[in-house]
Amino acid sequence: GPRFPQVVMLVGATGDLARRKLLPGLFHLCSSGFIPGCRIIGVSLDELDTEGFRAAARSALDEFGSRKVLPAAWDAFAGILDYVPLSGGAQALRRAVERAESSLGAPECRRLHYLSVPPSAALSVVRMLGAAELVERSHIVMEKPFGTDLASAVILNRQLHEVFDEEQIFRIDHFLGKEPAQNILAFRFANGLFEPIWNRNFIDHVQIDVPETLGLGKRAGFYEQTGAYRDMVVTHLFQILGFMAMEPPTALEPAPISEEKNKVFRSMLPIVPADVVRGQYSGYRQEEGVDPDSDTETFVALKCHIDNWRWAGVPFFLRTGKRLAEGQRIISIAFREPPKSMFPPGSGVGAQGPDHLTFDLADASKMSLSFYGKRPGPGMRLDKLSLQFAMRDTGLVGEVLEAYERLILDAMRGDRTLFTTAEGIERLWQVSTSLLETPPPVRLYEPGSWGPKAIHQLIAPHAWRLPF
Ligand code: BG6
């Protein structure tokens, strides 16, 4: 049947993610004509009515939307919003969807159920959708983290499959929806220059570094249960690692791409707790909603290995944390140094670290390639120079979608290229098992720093690429 119109059910519609990303994203998709004629049903624990939800949506757009909200566009968007509180149960959901379908004049239309709820609540919502008979003609988007460890992810997958078929399930990881993340695939597989050196013979190590300046805001309840490893590493950072490390897929299609990523995850060695630095920023335990004895980490740095032909012996260093010195999202490849140096001692070669190829996952792609070159003047003095690329400077403009917008649209269209699989996620929990069971102690770090001091030992004899 036709893809549009659809009924979108947004569960967790008043939560942090919905306010920051999902409602502004749906607004943009709607006002730019990507999702013609849809209706959106907000669902949450809050006892609101439709007017109350429209007001909440409006304030979310005003606070977090990156685009101007024109009156006509707002009226059109507000007009497609409905609301039902979760307390109404399965029957209320069912009636709301039927009302939406009949007001669209499309009783057989497709549906998208977006579950923006914590892992502990996901299953009961899935069951409610089953009880409401809202399964056929539907896709369901599940937010990360998907489960909290291997056992819970396996159970969640099994129980999810009691209600939905695998083809209906879209496990989202919004980092894969970022333009620069997809550009990694283009860069690697559309060019002949880099792929031949993309391996252990030329690469010394890889860093995936995502420091954030943000604190927790109002998310303490979620974050206390989650921590930086589950929130960022087992999800976003490992998925990006999959794109960086995978073999060329046989086609740019969902199954071959997932297969290659899953092969990377299968080759990953279990994370060794001794290769992990867990940190917590000073002051975290005093924040509202945080246990005064909390052991939750707000920072993780770790070393991991992909033990296959391409990557054996090449360490991957990952880091992320809250309230750090800078907000960055970079992937940096350090190349091996030349086998012999003909430059006299003191010429500067090697002093500023190895050559790097760096991807910046900012909103628009940026890349740089650093190398040694000659400093102008007599004699031979070397300096680190670089080639810089910024998509912004190219004048290339497309209809740019933010990560969540792109992925919501793909889920509505049934395109799973940028979604994760049950197998991949279970494997990533599996490699995390000993870390989750015997985590190293959290070390305090100062807000505004780069994390606990132990991060330098972790990466020695190399050094963190950041700060630039
Ligand atoms: C989310 C995490 O998935 O990603 C947040 O839950 C984090 O803790 C966010 O801040 C970072 O996303 P982005 O797109 O701002 O880099």
Side-chain angles (χ1 to χ4, degrees):
R3 288 288 171 192
F4 294 101
Q6 292 194 23
V7 175
V8 178
M9 186 143 74
L10 180 56
V11 187
T14 55
D16 187 73
L17 179 66
R19 288 171 47 71
R20 266 174 208 281
K21 296 290 180 188
L22 305 178
L23 289 166
L26 285 163
F27 170 72
H28 178 231
L29 289 174
C30 170
S31 58
S32 307
F34 282 104
I35 54 170
C38 290
R39 288 200 74 80
I40 299 166
I41 303 170
V43 182
S44 85
L45 291 171
D46 291 339
E47 296 294 330
L48 293 177
D49 58 12
T50 293
E51 278 318 307
F53 178 52
R54 288 177 181 167
R58 176 69 208 221
S59 84
L61 298 197
D62 291 338
E63 194 173 350
F64 298 112
S66 54
R67 300 175 178 86
K68 200 160 185 261
V69 182
L70 297 173
W74 165 251
D75 290 343
F77 185 65
I80 66 168
L81 298 180
D82 299 320
Y83 187 83
V84 270
L86 208 51
S87 60
Q91 288 323 308
L93 294 188
R94 165 109 203 142
R95 279 196 300 276
V97 171
E98 281 171 353
R99 265 199 312 277
E101 288 178 343
S102 72
S103 85
L104 290 173
E108 292 289 289
C109 76
R110 306 195 57 85
R111 305 145 174 166
L112 184 78
H113 307 307
Y114 196 120
L115 269 54
S116 175
V117 299
S120 54
L123 196 59
S124 63
V125 177
V126 167
R127 293 198 167 131
M128 197 183 272
L129 293 171
E133 294 180 43
L134 292 174
V135 174
E136 59 170 15
R137 296 183 268 120
S138 301
H139 289 164
I140 180 167
V141 178
M142 306 287 294
E143 260 298 334
K144 54 111 261 227
F146 192 86
T148 53
D149 57 13
L150 177 59
S152 62
V154 169
I155 291 172
L156 182 55
N157 275 322
R158 190 183 313 136
Q159 294 177 329
L160 198 49
H161 287 151
E162 285 169 11
V163 182
F164 288 94
D165 290 334
E166 183 62 21
E167 298 70 59
Q168 296 178 285
I169 305 166
F170 288 72
R171 298 175 189 79
I172 200 166
D173 189 295
H174 83 277
F175 267 48
L176 299 182
K178 290 178 185 283
E179 284 280 335
Q182 295 154 56
N183 201 26
I184 294 172
L185 298 183
F187 182 85
R188 287 192 56 195
F189 301 131
N191 300 295
L193 178 56
F194 293 100
E195 201 49 32
I197 58 169
W198 212 261
N199 58 54
R200 62 193 305 278
N201 298 323
F202 297 89
I203 293 177
D204 182 73
H205 71 273
V206 178
Q207 298 183 22
I208 301 178
D209 205 355
V210 186
E212 297 183 285
T213 52
L214 290 176
L216 288 192
K218 299 201 178 76
R219 300 170 74 214
F222 163 80
Y223 202 83
E224 267 285 275
Q225 306 297 314
T226 310
Y229 186 81
R230 290 183 172 94
D231 186 37
M232 295 291 288
V233 179
V234 80
T235 51
H236 306 321
L237 271 54
F238 282 164
Q239 291 296 331
I240 292 295
L241 179 144
F243 270 10
M244 287 302 284
M246 72 192 218
E247 298 300 313
T250 52
L252 206 60
E253 280 162 18
I257 290 180
S258 296
E259 177 54 17
E260 294 307 335
K261 275 201 313 184
N262 289 347
K263 275 158 67 179
V264 171
F265 300 153
R266 261 177 254 150
S267 302
M268 269 172 85
L269 297 180
I271 309 290
V272 179
D275 287 343
V276 180
V277 176
R278 290 171 74 233
Q280 188 187 73
Y281 61 80
S282 311
Y284 174 73
R285 292 179 191 176
Q286 283 76 55
E287 283 187 20
E288 199 187 319
V290 172
D291 180 345
D293 300 319
S294 174
D295 182 51
T296 301
E297 80 282 351
T298 60
F299 174 99
V300 188
L302 62 82
K303 173 162 73 173
C304 64
H305 293 278
I306 302 166
D307 199 23
N308 62 14
W309 276 50
R310 190 186 282 264
W311 296 114
V314 179
F316 285 70
F317 296 99
L318 277 48
R319 169 170 67 175
T320 186
K322 304 290 185 202
R323 306 269 326 251
L324 295 178
E326 286 176 23
Q328 294 272 5
R329 303 178 196 97
I330 66 152
I331 306 162
S332 196
I333 294 178
F335 292 101
R336 286 180 180 240
E337 297 190 14
K340 244 182 96 55
S341 177
M342 66 189 74
F343 297 93
S347 63
V349 77
Q352 299 171 62
D355 298 343
H356 289 94
L357 175 65
T358 303
F359 295 83
D360 187 330
L361 305 187
D363 295 341
S365 287
K366 287 194 274 183
M367 281 178 222
S368 69
L369 180 63
S370 73
F371 56 91
Y372 285 95
K374 184 183 174 304
R375 182 192 292 187
M380 184 54 102
R381 292 276 308 154
L382 300 170
D383 254 320
K384 203 75 179 284
L385 308 174
S386 75
L387 296 169
Q388 309 267 353
F389 165 81
M391 191 64 84
R392 283 234 164 73
D393 302 339
T394 61
L396 282 175
V397 284
E399 180 62 60
V400 177
L401 296 180
E402 283 194 5
Y404 272 105
E405 299 168 359
R406 164 73 194 253
L407 294 175
I408 292 171
L409 186 61
D410 283 359
M412 291 175 96
R413 290 175 171 167
D415 182 341
R416 31 190 343 112
T417 310
L418 299 173
F419 290 82
T420 61
T421 64
E423 185 202 325
I425 287 174
E426 288 178 11
R427 172 64 189 162
L428 291 173
W429 285 123
Q430 189 179 37
V431 302
S432 309
T433 300
S434 82
L435 172 63
L436 296 176
E437 284 175 357
T438 51
V442 290
R443 300 162 191 264
L444 291 182
Y445 62 95
E446 283 311 308
S449 72
W450 288 94
K453 295 202 174 50
I455 57 171
H456 301 296
Q457 280 132 263
L458 178 75
I459 204 168
H462 315 292
W464 293 97
R465 180 91 170 101
L466 289 174
F468 288 134

